[in-house]
Amino acid sequence: YKGCLAESYEQPDLETVIVHLRQDVYWQDKEPVNGRQFVANDVVYHYSRLAGIGPFEGQDPSPQCGARLESIESITELDTFTVEFKFKEATPNNLSLLLDQDSYNYIMAPEVIDAGLGEDWEYAVGTGPWILTEMIPGNMVTFEKNPNFFDTEHQPSMETITWRIIPEGSSRTIALQAGEVDFIMEVEATDIPRLKEDEAITVQENDGTRMNF
């Protein structure tokens, strides 16, 4: 397994996972974090807050994911780039808890939470390749390329990208054929034949077992 923010991990015993963070990761250059380095304290703060342990002991755990994190006994910063997770008991789920791509594994900056800005999109700040710069709820979301993104092998190929929210399937197809958007997802099955006939459009199909209704 190769993580995004972690370069490696080790398990000295069945109740312990030690995570070694990358040392070239920086938060996006937005208030109130201002592009500082991503460090172990960010990880400790994030998981402790969600689980209601450590400095957040006595506070209610996150209603969304606190139950999933209740197996964590403690989270400790061993040094600037190393975090130790101690679990209450040895279970097969201990390691997978930290590897799952669930929402609780997307770390929020302590400065944002401390300032009470966690639900304000203007202060949405991460470490990834795209910076959220504009949002009109129910209409569109715009991202700009993060010039300080750490992964040099996977840099964005565009400077700006805008996601338009078009709930109605046939409206998405019309927007695509009119050149108003560059691509669409969740194409209506009834629209696929006509899109295939359009020489200006490429239809990408993938085999799978998932069904949407």
Side-chain angles (χ1 to χ4, degrees):
Y1 175 81
K2 181 178 181 180
C4 295
L5 301 178
E7 62 182 11
S8 64
Y9 68 89
E10 56 185 296
Q11 289 184 277
D13 56 63
L14 296 178
E15 293 85 24
T16 306
V17 176
I18 296 176
V19 178
H20 301 278
L21 303 178
R22 296 179 61 132
Q23 299 185 26
D24 58 352
V25 179
Y26 291 82
W27 290 97
Q28 294 163 356
D29 193 8
K30 293 178 62 176
E31 295 283 351
V33 188
N34 299 315
R36 69 165 175 80
Q37 194 166 24
F38 177 79
V39 294
N41 181 65
D42 296 324
V43 178
V44 174
Y45 180 102
H46 175 78
Y47 286 100
S48 296
R49 180 178 68 88
L50 295 184
I53 61 176
F56 297 92
E57 187 172 358
Q59 297 186 23
D60 292 333
S62 165
Q64 287 79 27
C65 56
R68 292 209 62 187
L69 302 176
E70 63 182 2
S71 60
I72 299 177
E73 182 175 46
S74 66
I75 309 167
T76 305
E77 175 187 350
L78 299 185
D79 60 43
T80 305
F81 300 104
T82 309
V83 182
E84 178 188 73
F85 290 83
K86 283 283 189 180
F87 293 87
K88 296 175 183 177
E89 59 182 348
T91 75
N93 296 325
N94 288 347
L95 184 58
S96 65
L97 188 70
L98 305 179
L99 302 182
D100 285 346
Q101 293 187 3
D102 286 316
S103 59
Y104 61 79
N105 279 331
Y106 294 95
I107 297 173
M108 298 183 69
E111 294 93 328
V112 173
I113 301 301
D114 288 342
L117 302 171
E119 296 185 5
D120 190 332
W121 73 263
E122 293 188 60
Y123 297 95
V125 56
T127 59
W130 296 102
I131 301 174
L132 175 60
T133 57
E134 183 181 8
M135 181 171 73
I136 301 176
N139 183 286
M140 52 82 73
V141 182
T142 297
F143 298 88
E144 293 182 3
K145 178 180 178 180
N146 177 10
N148 300 317
F149 181 49
F150 59 88
D151 191 341
T152 57
E153 296 182 3
H154 300 92
Q155 291 290 313
S157 59
M158 296 173 284
E159 295 296 321
T160 304
I161 185 169
T162 297
W163 288 88
R164 286 183 53 193
I165 300 170
I166 308 176
E168 212 276 314
S170 61
S171 296
R172 291 194 294 271
T173 298
I174 291 171
L176 178 64
Q177 290 191 296
E180 297 174 6
V181 298
D182 295 309
F183 71 93
I184 61 175
M185 301 170 63
E186 299 185 8
V187 180
E188 296 286 343
T190 53
D191 290 339
I192 294 176
R194 102 172 187 224
L195 290 176
K196 286 184 175 180
E197 293 175 357
D198 192 327
E199 296 182 355
I201 294 173
T202 299
V203 177
Q204 179 177 324
E205 297 178 284
N206 299 298
D207 294 331
T209 58
R210 181 175 179 180
M211 301 181 67
N212 292 324
F213 296 93

